[in-house]
Amino acid sequence: MQSYTEENYLKIIYHLSEISHPVLTNAISERIQTKAASVTDMIKKLSEKGLVNYVKYQGVTLTDKGRSTAINIVRKHRLWEVFLVDKLNFKWDEVHEVAEELEHIQSNLLIERLDEFLNFPRVDPHGDPIPDKHGNFAELALVKLSKLKPGDQGTITGVSEHSSAFLKHLEKLSLTLGKQIQIIEVLAFDGSVELLVEQQKTNISREVAKYILITKS
Amino acid sequence: MQSYTEENYLKIIYHLSEISHPVLTNAISERIQTKAASVTDMIKKLSEKGLVNYVKYQGVTLTDKGRSTAINIVRKHRLWEVFLVDKLNFKWDEVHEVAEELEHIQSNLLIERLDEFLNFPRVDPHGDPIPDKHGNFAELALVKLSKLKPGDQGTITGVSEHSSAFLKHLEKLSLTLGKQIQIIEVLAFDGSVELLVEQQKTNISREVAKYILITKS
DNA sequence: AAAAATTTTTAGATTTGTCTAAATAATGAA
DNA sequence: TTCATTATTTAGACAAATCTAAAAATTTTT
Ligand SMILES: [Mn+2]
Ligand SMILES: [Mn+2]
Ligand SMILES: [Mn+2]
Ligand SMILES: [Mn+2]
């Protein structure tokens, strides 16, 4: 059994693993809002528990045990987010913080029953895939909106930034999951993107475009 | 904002307040599975935060602020228990431990929406009243089964012990909420009670009888 | 390749909640 | 009322998770 804090470290390491291998101390410390020295301490502890492989000054990778623990936390996080949106009428920008707490509730029965109650959803309100009880899930082939060229079309199927500020911004621009879009122009000097949604022209910054994930069509 | 641990102390003090005023250190230490010395430390802290009134060697009572905090935790605990039984098909003996964790999730929106989703239930799966968002609830006039006399009739409307072992035992005897019962005899030498449930004679120990709450009819 | 800058680790301290052992206060019996 | 028992508090210590400041390793620049 892991503590609340250990679970958070495992989850962060899991997410950062998709960006860099191995995961560096500073990357963790930035994400989790703690000093690098504290991260080193915790990594040593996780290493002694057999949840990560740690090489001094090189960084960490998850062991199988660490990864499956992390995936289970991600599963719980995303199922709770679906619950909040589908059953309790939360908006997609209101769920993340609450799910950060709910993901640590310890009960297999609870999470399996919740999965069933929600009808075994495959994706969460931000388009992220939900692992099944064995930790399996299909990685979707999504491309960042910022990678598209003028004329490209597609559907918004995910976002890689979950802050309320960002999601509210998207909502205001009607850039929500399922919406069809078409690129009109990518401005050379700042990388901002002009695009078409629901017959409306909109302009978004390169920053925003990087966080919107598209299924091309 | 209180820590997980502080919340648990407040809740225990609240429950024990119905038995003794003020609440004694040892009573808390037994209930919460910690040593009396640790309880003293925590009580001092809660006192400094204005959540309890503490007189050395006399015990503690909740302040208004402490009581309303405690009631809110009880509200959350009981609403989650209803959720688990009504929506996720948990049995009444499976909910308490999970609710002990869920009651600490911090989100007013969550709990108000949950209340609405459950259709504003008045009692939890053990017959305990659920405080509304202002902390108000009707105290039910229940009497312990162990206080009844031969010939007395009534309905099981609550239990004052929530352990799985106890509740499974009741289930086995068909002594669940809503059942009509009639006392046949109270045995003098051990206080055990013979009673009628669904045309069946059953015998329960005095211990068990004390934990079953009845509305007389 | 050496010097400078950056990253990571170590050392020592702090806070929270807990413990054991000893001291003190309250209660009950003689 | 004095003695013995029980309840409660104090003193000092410990584990978990964090911090700051300093040391060590790694990477980058010259
Ligand atoms: Mn989230
Ligand atoms: Mn999500
Ligand atoms: Mn309960
Ligand atoms: Mn209950």
Side-chain angles (χ1 to χ4, degrees), chain A residues 77-78 81 96 124-126 128 162:
Chain A
H77 182 103
R78 292 177 182 169
E81 287 190 345
H96 184 73
D124 83 0
H126 312 104
D128 295 310
H162 294 177

Side-chain angles (χ1 to χ4, degrees), chain B residues 14 67-72 75 130-138:
Chain B
Y14 172 74
R67 184 174 8 265
S68 74
T69 303
I71 288 175
N72 191 237
R75 167 169 160 78
I130 300 177
D132 69 18
K133 75 168 85 174
H134 307 296
N136 303 316
F137 58 97

Side-chain angles (χ1 to χ4, degrees), chain B residues 3 5 9 34-35 37-38 41 45 57:
Chain B
S3 73
T5 309
Y9 271 90
T34 43
K35 301 295 167 177
S38 312
D41 287 345
K45 191 176 162 198
Y57 293 100

Side-chain angles (χ1 to χ4, degrees), chain A residues 3 9 34-35 37-38 41 45 57:
Chain A
S3 72
Y9 271 89
T34 42
K35 301 295 168 178
S38 311
D41 288 343
K45 191 176 162 197
Y57 293 100

